Amino acid sequence: SSFLRAPPLLSETMAGDAGGEAPSPLELEHIIGYAGTTPQSLQPHVVDADAMIYYVSSNVVVASTKDPHAQKLLRAHTGMVSCIAQSADGDYIASGQAAPAAERSGDAWVMVWSYREGAPVYRLAGLKGRVLAVAFSRDNRFVAASDEEARLYLWDMQNGQVAHASRLDKPATFVTW
């Protein structure tokens, strides 16, 4: 007998980076639903008037405002997505996550995605627990994020390296430039 093989998921292609998860034989076609439990969890795309961006569980969804089945699922997070932001020119999306309970390190990643390709550009490390806020600088040179343990990180978008890290007096729930 023959079996149909679904195309590889983004999470499968990044399995080496995301903890070596086994490939899934199923492909998630689209997501129905939206919880809306945090501010700015649903955003119109800053350039593409026919697109909106939101998150559900560990997925970032880029969806058409005209066709509910036209979705691009950005899948590389190992925990629940906790915040999203877009670059001023609309070329990039950043998404922060909560560290999964099974991960002892407590690492909370920030993923930077190419909007056009729906592919990861960087997986940024340094934060712990849960990412509370993320934002791009106006010139797209940097991305900043904060966590629930009062850390604030800035990464250089030209190379994905940490440009600055500091500890705040209390957690920052909003980051802006």
Side-chain angles (χ1 to χ4, degrees), residues 4 7 14 39 47 54 58 68 71 82 86-87 89 91 95 107 109 116 136 157-158 160 169:
L4 294 176
M14 293 188 62
V47 175
Y54 61 99
S58 61
Q71 296 179 337
S82 56
Q86 301 172 64
S87 62
D89 61 7
D91 287 348
S95 53
D107 290 338
W109 305 107
R116 294 190 199 309
F136 287 93
M157 283 291 293
Q158 292 181 344
D169 291 334

Side-chain angles (χ1 to χ4, degrees), residues 40-118:
Q40 301 200 1
S41 58
L42 171 68
Q43 303 174 9
H45 189 267
V46 296
V47 175
D48 185 353
D50 295 332
M52 62 182 165
I53 302 165
Y54 61 99
Y55 55 90
V56 175
S57 185
S58 61
N59 302 287
V60 177
V61 182
V62 178
S64 168
T65 59
K66 296 180 179 181
D67 179 358
H69 295 281
Q71 296 179 337
K72 198 182 314 182
L73 303 177
L74 311 182
R75 302 177 64 196
H77 282 288
T78 58
M80 302 289 273
V81 175
S82 56
C83 56
I84 54 174
Q86 301 172 64
S87 62
D89 61 7
D91 287 348
Y92 298 102
I93 299 167
S95 53
Q97 75 172 44
E103 191 168 317
R104 290 185 176 169
S105 69
D107 290 338
W109 305 107
V110 172
M111 295 296 302
V112 176
W113 309 87
S114 165
Y115 170 73
R116 294 190 199 309
E117 297 181 23

